[in-house]
Amino acid sequence: MLNQRTVVIFGASGDLSSRLLLPGLGSLLAGPRATSVRIIGTGRSALAPDEWTRRVRSAFGDDLSAAAAETLATTQYVAGDPTDRAHLRALLELAGPAPVLYFSLPPAVTTAIVETLQGIDLPEGTELAFEKPFGTDAASAAELNKLVGSLVPEENVHRVDHFLGRTAVLNLIGLRFANRLFEPVWNAENIESIEIVYDETLGLEGRAQYYDNAGALVDMIQSHLLLVLALLAMDAPATMDAVEVRSEMARALRSTHLYGSALQASRRARYTAGGTVPSYAEEAGVDPARETETLAEVTVEVDTNRWAGVPITLRSGKALGVARKEIVVKFKPLRHLPSGLHGGRDGETLRIGLNPGDLSLSVPALGVDGPYTMGQVFLDATLPSSPVLPYGEVLNGILRGDPLLSVRGDVAERCWEIVEPVLDAWRTGEVPLEEYEAGSNGPAHWHAPSA
């Protein structure tokens, strides 16, 4: 094991810490890549020591590994105002050398803490980790980047997006660059369109405080799905180190823009009552006047020699009838078939599951409805999975000082820049807010993603 690292979790009493961050750490500590980790939780809420320990114990699961047991035995919780300089100094003294400061907080609170840290000398080797969203728009993200850059070097900054820790997303790198089948045809000459879809059957699930201020576009498309797009569209890195991979992702996103105007390239809707799900506008904590969308769709183009002209549609929504979490790559049909062959000339379709990870390739074949009739056959596979949860993968990089799975500062700003024309058009009502019944596939007249 490496020398022990101390992780100070700001907002430790919140939902994200218990639901995702701590279980992810537990999955990492249970495997062969376990390292020695001490956790200090902090927040405004007062928690008794045994209550905090129970939360960590519950998040780690039933069978504690030796590394997890060590972490549990040394963890502690310190209540206090995170914007108070004396409280921050006490936390840093308690944490010791080269701590990881993990901000599991809304952007405004995170920015306030970072501003307070300006007057404090951080220990050498301090790592800073930030939950999404990083800022609330491109300007605030740039300002936060400037503040953070005055504290630690960029390689010590981890803007967390747990999608980059998903095994299915990481498998895109192997699918793209480690086989002869796809990479030669991964371009506009051969691909007709791409869809990146993350549709959920769950409704709001009590997350109004965050979600009603974000909506589907900021919650999913501005962050998660644009990063998936970057991995799909980037050129091959020279090596699999953080500098090379993140530079190629940044180049792809710098070339990404809307496929037409915001009115042409985007749609939004929110769910009404359906089944046992109440109308979004009537959910506890929701302000209907905000007109927060629960289903968003944005089509973009990556304006490079490889991708120019290919529409890439990013879609995500809640309370839909079918949970669809996948990438759909539609290849162009052949320009010509020999005379005597019958049936459709549809091109191949590659489906890459995001949760769970699976792969399906439909290819044209003869003999489906007759010896000379074309049809589609399907080649299916299950992608390798990992017992380490996505947050565990991201935390592994943070603890080891490797920012490969962290979002670089310029990319965080660029993701906001790509969607800001859409957000502006939605605020002014240029793109109407439509409705769909909970449990349906969205507004009836929308062209559904490829089924």
Side-chain angles (χ1 to χ4, degrees):
M1 289 190 182
L2 298 177
N3 293 332
Q4 186 181 69
R5 298 294 302 272
T6 297
V7 180
V8 179
I9 304 175
F10 292 93
S13 59
D15 173 69
L16 188 144
S17 176
S18 298
R19 186 169 53 89
L20 294 172
L21 182 55
L22 290 173
L25 178 59
S27 71
L28 175 64
L29 295 176
R33 290 179 292 163
T35 187
S36 182
V37 182
R38 178 176 166 229
I39 303 171
I40 300 174
T42 184
R44 296 179 186 273
S45 302
L47 287 181
D50 58 341
E51 170 60 21
W52 169 248
T53 302
R54 280 198 301 270
R55 290 192 184 193
V56 177
R57 179 69 177 82
S58 176
F60 282 1
D62 294 331
D63 298 322
L64 284 184
S65 65
E70 177 191 1
T71 297
L72 186 65
T74 59
T75 190
Q76 59 190 116
Y77 181 88
V78 182
D81 178 358
T83 62
D84 178 72
R85 188 164 295 173
H87 177 61
L88 292 176
R89 284 200 174 103
L91 287 172
L92 290 169
E93 184 176 348
L94 188 62
V100 175
L101 306 185
Y102 196 107
F103 297 86
S104 180
L105 294 165
V109 184
T110 293
T111 301
I113 298 172
V114 171
E115 288 173 342
T116 306
L117 286 172
Q118 300 299 308
I120 299 174
D121 291 330
L122 297 180
E124 185 177 353
T126 297
E127 310 267 349
L128 303 180
F130 300 91
E131 274 294 334
K132 80 169 188 74
F134 189 80
T136 55
D137 54 24
S140 63
E143 182 59 30
L144 185 52
N145 274 333
K146 184 177 178 181
L147 287 171
V148 170
S150 68
L151 294 174
V152 298
E154 173 63 25
E155 59 267 26
N156 287 36
V157 181
H158 304 269
R159 298 166 192 85
V160 173
D161 192 304
H162 70 276
F163 256 56
L164 293 180
R166 287 177 178 264
T167 305
V169 173
L170 292 173
N171 278 332
L172 292 176
I173 296 171
L175 186 73
R176 287 283 320 278
F177 303 122
N179 72 77
R180 189 181 291 273
L181 181 62
F182 293 118
E183 183 59 15
V185 296
W186 208 257
N187 52 53
E189 294 299 313
N190 298 284
I191 290 176
E192 185 173 86
S193 65
I194 297 175
E195 294 169 343
I196 306 173
V197 181
Y198 204 87
D199 284 351
E200 301 178 275
T201 57
L202 295 175
L204 188 56
E205 299 289 298
R207 296 178 64 216
Q209 184 177 5
Y210 162 73
Y211 195 88
D212 202 44
N213 287 285
L217 178 61
V218 170
D219 183 45
M220 291 296 303
I221 294 176
Q222 182 273 334
S223 52
H224 301 320
L225 300 192
L226 278 175
L227 293 175
V228 174
L229 178 151
L231 289 173
L232 280 173
M234 73 181 190
D235 288 330
T239 64
M240 284 302 298
D241 68 65
V243 172
E244 290 288 339
V245 173
R246 300 201 301 171
S247 293
E248 293 299 340
M249 292 177 70
R251 289 189 187 100
L253 289 171
R254 281 198 298 271
S255 301
T256 300
H257 56 74
L258 296 184
Y259 196 76
S261 68
L263 179 59
Q264 297 166 322
S266 70
R267 298 190 288 196
R268 59 177 180 144
R270 71 179 177 189
Y271 63 82
T272 59
T276 60
V277 179
S279 170
Y280 177 82
E282 297 176 358
E283 292 266 25
V286 166
D287 178 2
R290 284 199 182 102
E291 295 197 333
T292 300
E293 81 287 349
T294 59
L295 173 62
E297 188 177 286
V298 177
T299 301
V300 299
E301 175 186 12
V302 181
D303 192 14
T304 61
N305 184 58
R306 179 190 284 264
W307 291 113
V310 177
I312 304 175
T313 298
L314 314 177
R315 165 181 159 134
S316 183
K318 287 187 173 296
L320 292 158
V322 178
R324 293 190 59 240
K325 303 170 182 179
E326 63 179 357
I327 301 162
V328 182
V329 181
K330 295 192 73 173
F331 290 87
K332 293 178 179 178
L334 289 174
R335 288 187 291 268
H336 174 72
L337 280 178
S339 177
L341 292 182
H342 309 289
R345 288 195 291 125
D346 293 339
E348 296 82 359
T349 299
L350 174 66
R351 296 177 181 275
I352 307 165
L354 294 173
N355 187 23
D358 48 34
L359 199 67
S360 178
L361 177 64
S362 67
V363 297
L366 283 175
V368 176
D369 294 313
Y372 300 108
T373 301
M374 301 296 296
Q376 294 283 321
V377 297
F378 297 89
L379 310 175
D380 299 321
T382 300
L383 296 173
S385 60
S386 169
V388 179
L389 298 172
Y391 265 90
E393 292 290 355
V394 173
L395 282 166
N396 182 56
I398 295 171
L399 291 167
R400 297 174 187 274
D402 180 3
L404 176 61
L405 298 185
S406 299
V407 179
R408 206 169 71 182
D410 58 337
V411 168
E413 295 176 35
R414 181 59 188 156
C415 286
W416 280 115
E417 291 169 352
I418 292 168
V419 302
E420 278 188 344
V422 175
L423 290 169
D424 291 341
W426 289 8
R427 289 188 191 104
T428 60
E430 181 182 344
V431 178
L433 178 67
E434 303 183 60
E435 292 185 334
Y436 62 98
E437 182 181 343
S440 71
N441 290 323
H445 66 281
W446 284 27
H447 171 66
S450 301

